[in-house]
Amino acid sequence: MAGDEGDPKPKPSRRVTSADVARASGVSRATVSYVLNNVPNRSVSAATREHVLATAQRLGHIPYAPARSLRLGRSDIVLALVRDYTYGYIADRILSGLDVALAQRGFVLLSHRYSEQVRPLAELWPMVAPALVVSMGGLSAPEMSSIQDSRAKLVAVQGVLPHGRAGEMQVEYLHSKGHRRIGYAFPADQSVELIATERLAGARRACERLGLPEPSLRVVNPNDASTFFGALDAWAKMAEPITAVCAHNDEIAIMLGAGLSSRGLRAGIDLAVIGVDNIPMARIGVTTIEIDADGFAEHVVEMVLHSLDDRTDKPRERELLRLIARDTA
Amino acid sequence: MAGDEGDPKPKPSRRVTSADVARASGVSRATVSYVLNNVPNRSVSAATREHVLATAQRLGHIPYAPARSLRLGRSDIVLALVRDYTYGYIADRILSGLDVALAQRGFVLLSHRYSEQVRPLAELWPMVAPALVVSMGGLSAPEMSSIQDSRAKLVAVQGVLPHGRAGEMQVEYLHSKGHRRIGYAFPADQSVELIATERLAGARRACERLGLPEPSLRVVNPNDASTFFGALDAWAKMAEPITAVCAHNDEIAIMLGAGLSSRGLRAGIDLAVIGVDNIPMARIGVTTIEIDADGFAEHVVEMVLHSLDDRTDKPRERELLRLIARDTA
DNA sequence: TTGTACGCGTTATCAG
DNA sequence: CTGATAACGCGTACAA
């Protein structure tokens, strides 16, 4: 293994520094830097400019980020703080949209699955020194102030999506279809609790406004199918059985539907079910509140670019939710 | 906007440097560095060691990564290259398991949704200067050599999971249940093509070995429900209709099942369906080949830690696939 | 234990 | 206006 003495050794191929470019083009390092950074208020003759650019290109010079960061006190890294990657569908849209937009500005988007238990945020800043932080989930007060201590700007995605409104829309639709007794399938998953609570609160508000009884709450766990059967049974056994269920999301709606069919019942006929998200799988017939992933992503991109440019105006409001009626409700 | 002159300005709170610690504890910067890095072969008296550690703690000093990186030529960043976050379920396990393990060694795991179209890999290295790169998907030859040029170590996750074996297991199980004519639902998604092709090849191998006709291939697109109905119809109209389908993954298996039920048929009775992954949703009754996400994650963690320690032995082999028989096949 | 050169890019200050 | 010189940011590690 280590005995390949004949090997010319892949040669770590020395990094090409700006000094190399300077030497090769016969100018000073300062001039190279001015050219490469297009520094305003510094006029460089077009001739040398071209020459330097050409040699830099030829040698394959790429400025070494750690050195830049050390000098500037910040890096070209935009850090996305993610609580959880399991909600891959929408996160993927946002992260990919962001990276494309940032690439044009010379930034790179890196994401970190953040957990206070594993590593306090305060330790993260010196390790990464990001130019900007995008928080994809809620952040506590001390966490917020920890970011302020770092020199990074902060963009919080939290609050962009009106989750409460999603819950309202579910109930409004079910109500319009004649349902009066409604169940609510709430996720057991800790990491989505904030969002889930908002959606539930919206559903409750809508029920109250429409004069319906409070939704009958059941906690379900996608990792434990029996919780779905339990919920279904409980709802069926009620004095006045519920006729429709708001599911926290499409995944839960689909599992509810599968639970029904394994009991010989059918979603949309024996029990109405409505989800949230419009994940690809929902296209098979699940009524849902669609979250416009692309619109959401664009909105986040605008927030980030505004912040990078120190603009204080808000990006335009978008309608991010939309009812999609299909078979199950 | 800029006119908040009364504001005490959140004060960028100067960074605490190792020089600050040296000054405050009355020793040289060198000593501070030796203490903080536990440099072997450098005897530092226990007294000063304690003292330095204490002041560093008190001042809240955290070594500034860009400076370290500049000096060492590498950072404490481990970069995970991800093609796509939509497969959130397993990726989440791996990324979270890795970060926990790396945190204990003083590294931080950052992931980047990599696309050659957006930014060539060669530009990524100087921007991040990772100590190690974990590639979660396949990498082309030029991409590989680009990594060699950087000073980063490389761990390729590709190949850890025996996808071909998954396809074989699907067919073997269906065969054991008496099925002889088998369909294959292949995903249209570009980003999983490599994996999908491996699984299909495995299924074909098993058919050949068992003396079955080649599986009847249909391409389905989770974003387009009609492709599922099309596949179902095509299979039903065959001279000798197929009786069982291998789905590329559980998502497709579930959508196939939903397509069946919206035609009044049932998976497991009118047509057998078997998936791969055992995503939470599959627990509702989908027969599948489970991918042991935790075992997979542990394996990747071991690979990474071995690489970090320059060990050349392979981590122990694990049985990562397992048949889970449920209702649909 | 300490002094100090070094890694690399940036930018304030100078010289033509 | 065009270009060069040199100090700086911060942690590391060799020579003393």
Side-chain angles (χ1 to χ4, degrees):
Chain A
M1 348 186 138
D4 311 359
E5 58 263 271
D7 242 307
K9 209 177 220 176
K11 199 182 269 183
S13 75
R14 288 213 37 65
R15 227 187 298 274
V16 179
T17 75
S18 70
D20 294 329
V21 177
R23 216 180 343 265
S25 40
V27 298
S28 72
R29 292 163 52 216
T31 305
V32 172
S33 178
Y34 291 137
V35 169
L36 260 37
N37 293 345
N38 254 313
V39 178
N41 307 339
R42 292 271 8 169
S43 47
V44 179
S45 77
T48 50
R49 146 177 248 78
E50 286 309 314
H51 185 217
V52 168
L53 248 21
T55 29
Q57 178 79 39
R58 180 167 55 80
L59 300 186
H61 167 68
I62 304 181
Y64 187 55
R68 269 182 71 92
S69 303
L70 177 57
R71 185 65 243 243
L72 273 343
R74 58 167 184 76
S75 69
D76 293 331
I77 293 176
V78 172
L79 182 67
L81 254 28
V82 178
R83 292 266 183 209
D84 189 329
Y85 284 109
T86 56
Y87 297 85
Y89 176 67
I90 290 186
D92 187 62
R93 285 283 221 300
I94 294 181
L95 295 177
S96 110
L98 251 184
D99 189 47
V100 171
L102 289 174
Q104 299 180 326
R105 306 225 173 183
F107 290 89
V108 61
L109 180 71
L110 301 180
S111 46
H112 176 69
R113 186 184 192 282
Y114 153 65
S115 163
E116 185 74 23
Q117 275 85 51
V118 174
R119 183 190 297 96
L121 278 184
E123 282 181 25
L124 202 54
W125 311 136
M127 296 187 82
V128 183
L132 182 148
V133 176
V134 186
S135 159
M136 308 277 286
L139 242 39
S140 69
E143 288 166 354
M144 291 290 239
S145 73
S146 148
I147 293 185
Q148 303 232 319
D149 286 346
S150 79
R151 250 154 298 300
K153 304 174 185 215
L154 172 63
V155 169
V157 170
Q158 183 190 23
V160 170
L161 231 40
H163 290 288
R165 180 72 196 124
E168 287 180 22
M169 289 171 73
Q170 288 182 309
V171 170
E172 285 165 8
Y173 180 70
L174 295 176
H175 178 263
S176 78
K177 297 295 251 180
H179 296 285
R180 292 297 175 265
R181 297 203 51 98
I182 293 175
Y184 196 99
F186 191 92
D189 187 349
Q190 186 71 33
S191 72
V192 292
E193 194 177 348
L194 266 76
I195 291 175
T197 304
E198 275 185 66
R199 293 186 186 171
L200 171 60
R204 284 193 166 131
R205 269 199 308 278
C207 282
E208 191 174 338
R209 178 158 39 79
L210 296 170
L212 305 185
E214 175 146 334
S216 166
L217 186 70
R218 288 284 151 182
V219 175
V220 295
N221 181 353
N223 292 311
D224 179 358
S226 72
T227 60
F228 287 82
F229 293 118
L232 253 16
D233 290 339
W235 283 322
K237 280 194 206 116
M238 289 173 67
E240 291 183 76
I242 64 131
T243 62
V245 176
C246 299
H248 165 71
N249 63 17
D250 289 343
E251 181 181 10
I252 290 173
I254 291 171
M255 292 185 76
L256 245 15
L260 282 172
S261 81
S262 77
R263 276 179 172 17
L265 304 175
R266 285 185 59 182
I269 295 175
D270 301 293
L271 182 70
V273 176
I274 183 169
V276 177
D277 278 351
N278 195 30
I279 60 177
M281 236 184 278
R283 289 185 167 73
I284 207 70
V286 179
T287 294
T288 189
I289 307 297
E290 177 187 49
I291 292 177
D292 177 358
D294 292 323
F296 188 16
E298 280 170 27
H299 193 90
V300 174
V301 167
E302 275 186 43
M303 289 172 73
V304 168
L305 295 186
H306 278 208
S307 174
L308 246 21
D309 295 340
D310 287 317
R311 292 170 55 180
T312 54
D313 53 320
K314 298 271 173 210
R316 71 180 169 80
E317 287 296 323
R318 287 176 169 77
E319 200 59 63
L320 261 15
L321 301 178
R322 188 167 59 111
L323 174 85
I324 304 219
R326 284 194 276 239
D327 307 337
T328 62
Chain B
M1 352 184 134
D4 312 359
E5 58 262 271
D7 243 309
K9 210 175 218 176
K11 198 182 270 181
S13 74
R14 287 215 39 65
R15 228 186 298 273
V16 179
T17 75
S18 71
D20 293 329
V21 177
R23 219 183 336 267
S25 40
V27 299
S28 72
R29 291 163 52 218
T31 304
V32 172
S33 177
Y34 290 136
V35 169
L36 259 37
N37 293 344
N38 255 314
V39 178
N41 307 339
R42 302 260 25 162
S43 53
V44 180
S45 79
T48 51
R49 148 177 245 78
E50 287 308 314
H51 185 218
V52 169
L53 249 21
T55 32
Q57 177 78 38
R58 180 167 56 81
L59 300 186
H61 167 68
I62 305 181
Y64 187 56
R68 268 182 72 94
S69 304
L70 178 58
R71 186 64 242 239
L72 300 180
R74 58 167 183 75
S75 69
D76 292 331
I77 293 176
V78 171
L79 183 66
L81 254 28
V82 179
R83 292 264 184 211
D84 191 328
Y85 283 110
T86 57
Y87 297 84
Y89 176 66
I90 290 185
D92 187 61
R93 284 283 219 300
I94 294 181
L95 295 176
S96 112
L98 251 184
D99 188 48
V100 170
L102 289 174
Q104 298 181 325
R105 306 228 173 179
F107 290 89
V108 61
L109 180 72
L110 301 181
S111 45
H112 176 69
R113 187 186 191 281
Y114 153 65
S115 163
E116 186 75 20
Q117 276 84 50
V118 175
R119 185 189 297 97
L121 278 184
E123 283 181 24
L124 201 55
W125 311 135
M127 294 187 83
V128 184
L132 181 148
V133 175
V134 185
S135 159
M136 308 278 285
L139 243 39
S140 69
E143 288 167 355
M144 291 289 240
S145 74
S146 148
I147 293 186
Q148 303 232 319
D149 286 345
S150 78
R151 249 154 298 300
K153 303 175 186 215
L154 171 64
V155 170
V157 170
Q158 184 190 22
V160 170
L161 231 40
H163 290 288
R165 181 71 196 124
E168 288 180 22
M169 288 172 74
Q170 287 182 310
V171 170
E172 285 165 8
Y173 180 70
L174 294 177
H175 178 263
S176 79
K177 297 295 252 182
H179 296 283
R180 292 295 175 266
R181 297 203 51 98
I182 292 175
Y184 197 99
F186 191 91
D189 187 349
Q190 185 71 32
S191 71
V192 293
E193 193 177 349
L194 266 77
I195 291 175
T197 305
E198 275 186 65
R199 291 187 187 171
L200 171 61
R204 284 193 166 131
R205 270 198 308 277
C207 282
E208 192 175 337
R209 179 159 38 80
L210 296 170
L212 306 185
E214 176 146 334
S216 165
L217 187 69
R218 289 283 151 183
V219 175
V220 295
N221 181 353
N223 291 311
D224 179 359
S226 72
T227 59
F228 286 83
F229 293 118
L232 253 15
D233 290 338
W235 284 322
K237 280 193 206 118
M238 288 173 67
E240 290 184 78
I242 64 130
T243 61
V245 176
C246 300
H248 165 71
N249 63 17
D250 289 342
E251 181 181 9
I252 290 173
I254 291 171
M255 292 185 76
L256 245 15
L260 283 173
S261 80
S262 76
R263 276 178 172 19
L265 304 174
R266 285 184 61 181
I269 295 175
D270 302 292
L271 182 70
V273 176
I274 182 169
V276 177
D277 277 353
N278 196 29
I279 62 175
M281 236 184 279
R283 289 185 167 73
I284 208 70
V286 180
T287 294
T288 190
I289 307 297
E290 178 186 50
I291 291 177
D292 176 358
D294 291 323
F296 187 17
E298 280 170 28
H299 193 90
V300 174
V301 167
E302 274 186 43
M303 288 172 73
V304 168
L305 295 186
H306 279 207
S307 174
L308 245 22
D309 295 340
D310 288 315
R311 292 171 56 179
T312 52
D313 54 319
K314 300 270 174 211
R316 71 179 168 81
E317 287 296 323
R318 287 176 170 77
E319 200 58 65
L320 262 16
L321 301 178
R322 188 168 57 114
L323 174 86
I324 305 221
R326 285 194 274 238
D327 307 337
T328 62

